[in-house]
Amino acid sequence: MEHTSEFLDLVGACAQFVASAGRIVPGLRGQNYTDDEKATVQRNVARVRAAADWIEGAVATGQVTPEEGLARLLAGE
């Protein structure tokens, strides 16, 4: 089976994210976070969700250019 380097990089990035989350999240038990810290995590999780949706759409449709709102979200705006 042949795959482009972009495909392999994308699959690897997804696997790395899942592995990192699996390693980090269990260590959060018993931690107390400020409202600002919680908001920071929530903003970043929203960026992750948006990126995952963009990936799914790009693979399904071939459209790889992010919409304006998505581009701003991914840029952290």
Side-chain angles (χ1 to χ4, degrees), residues 1-75:
M1 192 182 290
E2 285 189 38
H3 296 290
T4 65
S5 63
E6 292 84 5
F7 172 83
L8 296 173
D9 288 346
L10 182 58
V11 171
C14 291
Q16 185 176 17
F17 175 80
V18 171
S20 294
R23 185 181 67 254
I24 295 166
V25 172
L28 301 179
R29 182 173 304 162
Q31 301 276 343
N32 292 313
Y33 296 100
T34 66
D35 289 342
D36 285 343
E37 290 170 328
K38 291 175 186 177
T40 297
V41 171
Q42 289 170 342
R43 278 192 307 274
N44 281 282
V45 169
R47 291 176 66 207
V48 168
R49 284 190 181 109
D53 290 345
W54 180 33
I55 291 166
E56 284 183 329
V59 170
T61 67
Q63 169 65 306
V64 298
T65 304
E67 295 177 8
E68 184 180 335
L70 172 61
R72 284 196 315 271
L73 183 63
L74 294 174

